[in-house]
């Protein structure tokens, strides 16, 4: 290919570094992994770029656990971020945030071992809270709330139990529990 470098692999201590390039010479992707490490025990990182040089994705692993994963729009604004938060009191919590192309928050929630837990909030493109679902520790929805985007007041509240949805009286305060 006319003498252009398309990829490179090198060793840095106990890590293999692999870099792939666009035909322009710009980096396309870079990954690092511990030599001889099986995929389920992965240590390292991955990065991916657009042809413009804009970083699109960056992911870090340690001992097979995803520590963080961030994605960006082509305009450089954050699209999604997942960050693992360790806790001495219980299991690690994966915090998840998604953003509109404008940079405003679109979604916020959390997972434990891939199971949704706690509060999961949705926002409109203006950054106003539209809805919330509260999950128990087993990933079951227990409360669904809809908010008025202009006032922030609870418009609709439903408790979700073993027999389905049960409407709750709507109160102007945000905390329905």
């Amino acid at each position: 290919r006319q003498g252009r470098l398309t990829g490179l692999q090198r060793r840095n201590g106990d890590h293999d570094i692999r870099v792939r390039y666009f035909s322009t010479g710009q980096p396309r992707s870079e990954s690092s992994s511990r030599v001889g490490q099986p995929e389920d025990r992965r240590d390292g990182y991955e990065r991916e770029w657009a042809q413009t040089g804009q970083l699109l994705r960056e992911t870090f692993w340690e001992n097979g656990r995803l520590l963080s994963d961030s994605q960006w729009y082509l305009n450089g604004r954050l699209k999604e971020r997942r960050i693992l938060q360790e806790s001495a009191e219980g299991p690690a919590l994966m915090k998840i945030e998604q953003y509109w192309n404008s940079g405003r928050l679109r979604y916020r929630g959390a997972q434990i071992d891939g199971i949704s837990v706690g509060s999961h909030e949705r926002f409109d493109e203006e950054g106003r809270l539209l809805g919330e679902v509260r999950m128990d520790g087993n990933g079951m929805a227990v409360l669904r709330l809809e908010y008025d985007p202009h006032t922030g007041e609870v418009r609709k509240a439903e408790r979700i139990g073993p027999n389905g949805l049960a409407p709750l009286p709507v109160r102007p305060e945000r905390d329905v529990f």
Side-chain angles (χ1 to χ4, degrees), residues 14 54 71 76 91 94 117:
D14 63 349
Q54 171 59 47
Q71 298 175 46
M94 180 67 71
V117 296

Side-chain angles (χ1 to χ4, degrees), residues 148-172:
D148 182 304
H150 302 289
T151 66
E153 292 180 354
V154 174
R155 185 188 300 173
K156 185 176 180 183
E158 299 171 310
R159 187 175 303 279
I160 306 167
N163 299 326
L165 298 176
L168 291 174
V170 175
R171 300 190 312 232

Side-chain angles (χ1 to χ4, degrees), residues 134-150:
R134 295 185 187 169
M135 314 292 277
D136 68 13
N138 297 314
M140 299 296 295
V142 293
L143 183 67
R144 183 177 303 143
L145 303 168
E146 287 181 23
Y147 296 97
D148 182 304
H150 302 289

